[in-house]
């Protein structure tokens, strides 16, 4: 194993059955090393590291999209 921290890793089972519903994600990266997925892209990266980065980018983009949706305004002109 490349990652000496791997033995202390947490997994989906540690997050509880509803972890995905709560937005908690776990990635097993067999060819990764400690925090390699958080480093910059490199042409020598293992495929599973690159795939995980893509998934992480999709998740982060969904968070941004969710927070930047237009706010629906309610017409209160006739209330007062």
């Amino acid at each position: 194993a490349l990652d000496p921290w791997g033995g202390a890793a947490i997994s989906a089972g540690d997050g509880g059955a509803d972890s995905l519903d709560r937005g908690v994600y776990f990635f097993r990266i067999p060819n990764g090393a400690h925090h390699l997925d958080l480093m910059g892209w490199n042409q020598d990266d293992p495929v599973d590291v690159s795939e995980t980065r893509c998934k992480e980018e999709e998740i982060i983009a969904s968070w941004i999209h969710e927070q930047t949706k237009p706010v629906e305004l309610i017409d209160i002109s006739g209330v007062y």
Side-chain angles (χ1 to χ4, degrees):
L2 295 173
D3 187 357
W5 291 93
I10 58 172
S11 65
D14 299 320
D18 65 341
S19 60
L20 286 178
D21 295 336
R22 293 182 291 117
V24 179
Y25 300 90
F26 300 88
F27 299 100
R28 178 156 172 69
I29 311 171
N31 297 305
H34 190 65
H35 289 268
L36 180 60
D37 60 312
L38 302 177
M39 305 255 185
W41 291 87
N42 185 302
Q43 66 183 18
D44 297 325
D45 286 337
V47 172
D48 55 347
V49 172
S50 295
E51 289 173 348
T52 300
R53 280 196 189 110
C54 287
K55 290 175 188 173
E56 291 169 341
E57 285 182 358
E58 289 172 3
I59 292 166
I60 293 167
S62 75
W63 293 340
I64 293 168
H65 177 74
E66 189 175 295
Q67 296 303 314
T68 57
K69 288 181 183 174
V71 176
E72 182 178 334
L73 300 177
I74 301 171
D75 180 8
I76 60 168
S77 60
V79 174
Y80 297 103

